[in-house]
Amino acid sequence: MICFTLFGITACAGTTDSKDNNDDNALLQGTWEIDTGSGAGYKFLEDKFMWLKSIENVNDNYWYGDVEYYNGAEAMEMAGLTEEELQNSLPGLKPENIFVTKLDPEKIITDGEDKTAINMNDQTLWTRLWLIEEKEDNVVAVVIDLETFSMESYTKVK
């Protein structure tokens, strides 16, 4: 198990077997902009996702595909995060604000061209841990790639 601390949030990541989708994913639905100022981000709509170079342009420069959602205790188990670690390291973060997404991209569009065959294979799968904090004026998330353990911060914009 590997643990991380970012912006005062600590999370531990591991892997486990795939489980069925969890229907309680309304908090994750919508558009999330990365906090780097690049304008890039995710868009989730039901069982589909887009990774967009610009959240303002959903017609070009994106990855698109299916998404499976896991929430609460199920997501914590997948990420190797225990109740004790949650209480000790992430006080105030509710289990229902913890998600794991499994993103299965099926199409890549770059500069108006389909680049799927060049940039992707059948093994492409992105697994992300989402630690979501609902603030008074916005909703933010620390997102951890459970394969590379890189972290990014996002703000929900729509």
Side-chain angles (χ1 to χ4, degrees):
M1 182 181 317
I2 298 175
C3 296
F4 302 92
T5 301
L6 181 69
F7 304 119
I9 297 178
T10 301
C12 299
T15 60
T16 187
D17 294 333
S18 175
K19 295 185 180 185
D20 294 332
N21 276 348
N22 186 322
D23 293 330
D24 190 19
N25 59 36
L27 183 59
L28 201 53
Q29 295 292 301
T31 304
W32 294 83
E33 183 174 13
I34 194 166
D35 290 348
T36 62
S38 70
Y42 286 101
K43 182 176 182 100
F44 295 102
L45 181 61
E46 297 175 8
D47 62 348
K48 298 293 182 187
F49 85 95
M50 293 180 89
W51 166 252
L52 301 149
K53 184 174 180 182
S54 169
I55 61 171
E56 299 301 320
N57 182 2
V58 296
N59 298 313
D60 198 9
N61 298 313
Y62 64 85
W63 291 60
Y64 170 84
D66 295 326
V67 60
E68 294 178 9
Y69 304 93
Y70 305 86
N71 181 243
E74 185 175 36
M76 290 173 57
E77 178 183 328
M78 292 178 75
L81 183 60
T82 68
E83 280 287 336
E84 182 179 336
E85 289 168 329
L86 179 62
Q87 296 303 317
N88 292 336
S89 302
L90 304 167
L93 185 66
K94 301 178 285 190
E96 59 266 23
N97 286 20
I98 299 173
F99 290 84
V100 168
T101 56
K102 288 194 175 188
L103 309 172
D104 187 6
E106 58 191 50
K107 183 174 283 283
I108 303 170
I109 302 296
T110 304
D111 296 327
E113 296 181 28
D114 188 337
K115 303 280 184 163
T116 307
I118 299 168
N119 294 315
M120 189 171 57
N121 61 47
D122 291 340
Q123 304 302 314
T124 303
L125 183 68
W126 301 332
T127 305
R128 306 286 192 262
L129 170 65
W130 292 72
L131 305 171
I132 300 175
E133 183 181 358
E134 296 177 89
K135 296 183 176 185
E136 191 172 308
D137 58 344
N138 64 2
V139 179
V140 296
V142 172
V143 180
I144 302 168
D145 181 321
L146 291 179
E147 295 159 15
T148 66
F149 305 110
S150 64
M151 289 189 265
E152 299 169 323
S153 296
Y154 289 83
T155 300
K156 191 170 187 178
V157 294
K158 298 178 188 172

